[in-house]
Amino acid sequence: MSTERPVPMAPEVIDAGTDAFFDRMQPLLGARPADALRIATDEQHRADALGDRLAVVRALLVQGMARSALGHPERDETLARALALAQAEAEPLTLVRATNAQIVVDVLSGRYADALWRGQEVLGMAHALRRTDLLWRLTLNIGSALSLIGEYEMAIGMYRECLDLLKGESEEIRQQRHQTINNMAWSWMGVARIATLEDNPAVAREALGVARRFAQGACEGSLAEPNGWLRASSLDTFVGVLLELGEVDEAARWVHRVGEQSPGLLVRGTSIWGIFTLARCRVLLATGTAALDEVLSDLHGVEQMPGPLFKSGDMHASLHRCLCDVLARAGRHREALVHRGKWLQFEARTQSLLAREHAMAVQRTLDTLRGETEEFITHDLRNPLGAARVQLGVLDGGWVEPARRIDAMLQQATQAADHYLVILRTRHLRRAALQPLELAELVDDAAEQLAPPADTGRRLARDLDWGVVVRGDRIALLQALQALLRLALAAQGAREVHISLRCSGGVATVGIAAVDDGWARSLDELLRAGGAGDGHSAEGLRAWMVARVARLHDARVEVQADATDGLARVSWHFPLADPAR
C-alpha cells in the first residue's frame, strides 16, 4: 500500500517563492533526489537571506522528502522543523502541505496514530482551501494510517472519498485514481485477513475477490502511465492478492508483462526497482522455478538499499521471508534461520506496535468526541436553557404560575445536562492530562458562581491562601467543588457556608464548613462506598464525581460530621505541584 508518492516527469525549476515550487520539484524528487536536495538547500539559503519564511518552509519540505528518498537520518528533524515553522506562520496552504509531508514520515516510521491525528487536525482546513490535489493527498494518507492500524473498512471509506474528489481525465488525475484504487485493494486484503482470523471463509473469499478486481484495475491502468512507482506498487499489491488466491501462474504472467513494458523505469538501486524485484522474487519462489543465485543476488541488492521503505512494514517482512526461503532451498540453513528470526521478531514487534497505535488512535478519537460533546452541552444546551429562565423572570403577573412550572422544567433539564457533563468529564479524565493551576483562583471562581443573592440573608464566606499551585483538571475540579458547595448550601439552617484554602507541609487543604443536618454524614457514607456508580440521585452522582476526581488528583477527602461547634466540615487535601514537572 502506498501513501503520497512522487511522479517522475518534469523539469528542474528552482524558485521556492511560490506554491508552484512543489509541483515542479515532485518529478525531480522521484527521478534524482540528490539533485532535488541540492536545489532545495540552495533555495533555503536564498530564502533565509531574503527573510521569506514561507519559502524557507517550502525548501525544507522538499529537503525532507529528498532525504527520505535517500535514506538520510536527518529527514525527521528537517520535516519536523518545516512543520513547526509552518504552524508558526499559520498560512493554511503551506501548513496542509507540511502536515501531509509529516504524515508520510509518521506512516513510514510506524507512528500511525500520530499520522491519523495530524490528518484529522487539518482535514477541515484542507476542505476550506478547495484544493483537490492537497485534499486528495491528505485523505489518501489518512486512509493509509487507518488501514495500517487495522481499521480497514474505515480506510476503504476514506479511499471512496478520494475517488469522489478525482474529476476529469488529466494524466495526474488518472494516476491519482489508480493509486487510490491500489490502496483500496490493499485494504480489502486486510478485510480478508480479519475474516480468516475470525473463521469466516465466505467473507474472506468475497473480500479477496473484491481486492483482486481493484488490484487488477490499478495494475492495468498503471501500464498506460509513465509512472514507475505506480506500476511497481500496484504490481506488488496485485501479486499479493494473486498469491493469496493461489493463482501463481497468473502472478508470474503479470510480473513478466510489467517488466517487459517498463525497461527504462526499472533501474537497479532505485526504489521502483526494489519494489518490482521483491514482487518478482516472491512469484519465482512460489512457482519453484527460481534460479537461486540470481534471486539471492537481487534480494541482497534490495536489502542494501537506503531509506525506510525496505527497513519497515510489509516490504521488510517480505524481504526476510524471501531470504529465509531461498537460503533454505540453497542448503544454507544457518543463514536461513537468521532471516527467519528477523522476520518473526519483526512480526511480533509489529503486532505489539499495531496494538499500541490502535489504542492511541482510539483514545485520541474518544478525547475529541468527548471535547465536542462537552462543548455542545456547555454552550449549545446549557446557555439557551439559562437564557430561557432569565426571560421567564420578566413575564407579567398572569403568567406567574405557568412560568413557575416552565422554570422548574428548565431547571430540571439544566441539571440533567450538568449531570451528563459531570459523568462524561470524570469518566475519561486521565492523570496525563493534568496541568499546573492556581487553586485559590479556582476555589474563588467556584464560590463566586454559587454565592447566594444578598437579599436571601445567606452567605458564602471565603478565606483563601493565594499562590497555591497543584496539578489538576480545571473543569473537573470546578465541578467537584461546586458539587460539595451545593450539598452544604442545601443544608437546613445553613445561613453561612464557609470555604477556606490553607497550605501546610506540602499539602493544600480546601475546607467547606456548614451546619450539619446530615448532608456531611450522607456524603461520608457515599464516599466510603466509593460513590454510587454513575448515580441516579443528585447526591449519588456528586459523591461518585468527587470520589473519582479525588483519586485522579491523588487527593484525599476527609469528612468530620460530629464537630463540637455544630458544624460539619469536608476537607479536601491536595499534594502541591512538583515544580520540576
Side-chain angles (χ1 to χ4, degrees):
M1 182 189 58
S2 56
T3 54
E4 179 188 350
R5 301 300 189 192
V7 180
M9 347 174 302
E12 298 181 25
V13 177
I14 321 251
D15 183 15
T18 69
D19 187 68
F21 178 68
F22 293 106
D23 295 330
R24 302 167 90 172
M25 288 295 291
Q26 283 287 352
L28 196 61
L29 278 165
R32 304 199 309 275
D35 288 344
L37 178 58
R38 174 181 55 77
I39 292 169
T41 303
D42 290 344
E43 276 301 285
Q44 182 202 338
H45 295 326
R46 190 180 70 84
D48 273 327
L50 293 172
D52 188 344
R53 288 178 291 190
L54 285 178
V56 170
V57 175
R58 296 185 192 108
L60 285 172
L61 286 174
V62 173
Q63 283 184 45
M65 289 185 280
R67 284 176 170 148
S68 180
L70 293 166
H72 292 180
E74 300 91 348
R75 173 202 64 188
D76 288 14
E77 182 182 349
T78 302
L79 288 175
R81 183 184 169 200
L83 181 57
L85 289 174
Q87 289 169 335
E89 291 300 308
E91 195 279 313
L93 191 61
T94 306
L95 180 55
V96 172
R97 282 199 182 279
T99 303
N100 244 333
Q102 185 62 53
I103 289 172
V104 174
V105 171
D106 287 337
V107 167
L108 291 173
S109 304
R111 298 189 294 266
Y112 310 131
D114 287 347
L116 186 57
W117 172 72
R118 290 187 206 278
Q120 291 170 331
E121 284 281 290
V122 298
L123 188 57
M125 187 183 300
H127 275 285
L129 287 170
R130 299 183 181 276
R131 284 284 301 268
T132 300
D133 58 334
L134 288 182
L135 185 56
W136 170 78
R137 289 187 177 96
L138 182 62
T139 308
L140 186 82
N141 290 339
I142 292 173
S144 297
L146 284 167
S147 196
L148 286 163
I149 63 171
E151 293 289 351
Y152 299 112
E153 294 187 10
M154 291 178 66
I156 290 166
M158 295 301 293
Y159 296 143
R160 288 187 178 126
E161 289 186 27
C162 286
L163 292 175
D164 290 341
L165 291 168
L166 301 174
K167 309 298 183 185
E169 287 299 325
S170 69
E171 183 177 276
E172 181 180 13
I173 293 294
R174 289 197 309 270
Q175 292 179 11
Q176 290 173 342
R177 188 177 292 119
H178 296 323
Q179 184 173 327
T180 305
I181 291 171
N182 181 55
N183 278 25
M184 195 174 285
W186 199 93
S187 291
W188 275 108
M189 286 182 66
V191 173
R193 284 195 292 269
I194 295 295
T196 300
L197 289 172
E198 294 175 350
D199 197 22
N200 196 335
V203 172
R205 283 194 303 273
E206 181 181 359
L208 277 175
V210 177
R212 189 192 194 287
R213 188 171 69 251
F214 281 128
Q216 182 168 347
C219 209
E220 285 178 338
S222 72
L223 290 176
E225 306 295 338
N227 185 333
W229 187 284
L230 179 60
R231 291 190 190 187
S233 60
S234 59
L235 175 68
D236 178 70
T237 302
F238 195 21
V239 162
V241 176
L242 291 172
L243 292 180
E244 191 74 25
L245 289 167
E247 299 183 33
V248 179
D249 291 340
E250 183 71 359
R253 188 177 73 82
W254 273 95
V255 168
H256 177 75
R257 181 179 173 186
V258 172
E260 193 172 53
Q261 295 186 33
S262 311
L265 299 173
L266 302 175
V267 180
R268 188 179 181 91
T270 64
S271 296
I272 296 169
W273 172 84
I275 297 170
F276 173 83
T277 298
L278 193 51
R280 174 176 166 272
C281 290
R282 289 162 63 197
V283 172
L284 287 173
L285 290 169
T287 61
T289 60
L292 298 183
D293 289 343
E294 179 187 343
V295 170
L296 189 57
S297 173
D298 283 344
L299 289 173
H300 281 316
V302 174
E303 186 181 25
Q304 292 163 12
M305 288 180 60
L309 185 60
F310 302 100
K311 303 295 190 293
S312 62
D314 282 358
M315 295 287 180
H316 181 78
S318 294
L319 176 61
H320 283 292
R321 288 182 70 174
C322 287
L323 282 167
C324 174
D325 190 1
V326 73
L327 286 166
R329 294 189 193 192
R332 297 161 63 174
H333 299 292
R334 190 181 298 275
E335 294 173 73
L337 286 173
V338 170
H339 287 285
R340 177 178 171 79
K342 288 182 179 180
W343 164 43
L344 293 177
Q345 183 181 37
F346 172 79
E347 289 288 309
R349 190 166 61 245
T350 297
Q351 291 305 313
S352 175
L353 168 69
L354 292 182
R356 187 195 71 194
E357 292 294 313
H358 188 274
M360 288 175 60
V362 169
Q363 187 58 60
R364 279 181 171 158
T365 301
L366 289 175
D367 286 347
T368 300
L369 290 173
R370 177 172 58 83
E372 291 173 352
T373 305
E374 287 178 5
E375 184 75 11
F376 167 75
I377 293 172
T378 303
H379 297 288
D380 297 343
L381 183 60
R382 293 183 75 259
N383 287 355
L385 289 172
R389 294 189 67 198
V390 170
Q391 293 301 313
L392 283 173
V394 299
L395 292 177
D396 293 335
W399 286 84
V400 170
E401 184 55 30
R404 186 188 64 78
R405 291 197 297 271
I406 294 171
D407 181 68
M409 288 186 285
L410 288 173
Q411 187 172 5
Q412 185 178 14
T414 303
Q415 289 175 346
D418 285 342
H419 287 186
Y420 184 68
L421 188 62
V422 164
I423 293 170
L424 189 70
R425 186 78 188 181
T426 52
R427 179 174 285 156
H428 298 292
L429 189 62
R430 303 188 308 281
R431 284 187 175 87
L434 305 184
Q435 299 292 327
L437 55 84
E438 164 62 68
L439 189 55
E441 180 183 339
L442 186 143
V443 172
D444 196 50
D445 285 349
E448 186 67 30
Q449 293 176 30
L450 294 180
D455 58 2
T456 63
R458 304 175 68 204
R459 181 168 175 261
L460 179 55
R462 283 162 268 184
D463 183 11
L464 310 176
D465 285 350
W466 291 79
V468 179
V469 178
V470 300
R471 290 185 65 83
D473 179 90
R474 179 176 177 78
I475 295 176
L477 284 175
L478 191 66
Q479 291 171 337
L481 283 172
Q482 288 182 334
L484 291 174
L485 284 172
R486 284 192 177 96
L487 287 171
L489 288 166
Q492 295 180 6
R495 307 301 299 173
E496 179 173 293
V497 174
H498 187 268
I499 185 167
S500 62
L501 171 61
R502 294 287 180 266
C503 182
S504 176
V507 175
T509 301
V510 177
I512 298 173
V515 66
D516 180 22
D517 71 337
W519 70 272
R521 280 189 293 271
S522 297
L523 175 64
D524 189 38
E525 291 172 3
L526 287 168
L527 289 174
R528 289 178 185 277
D534 288 348
H536 295 291
S537 67
E539 291 77 9
L541 174 71
R542 289 168 184 159
W544 176 84
M545 177 187 58
V546 169
R548 168 75 173 163
V549 172
R551 282 196 299 273
L552 285 163
H553 288 78
D554 294 320
R556 179 171 57 87
V557 181
E558 180 183 11
V559 180
Q560 295 173 294
D562 298 316
T564 56
D565 54 6
L567 297 177
R569 289 185 176 85
V570 176
S571 300
W572 201 346
H573 307 286
F574 293 86
L576 296 181
D578 183 353
R581 294 179 62 187

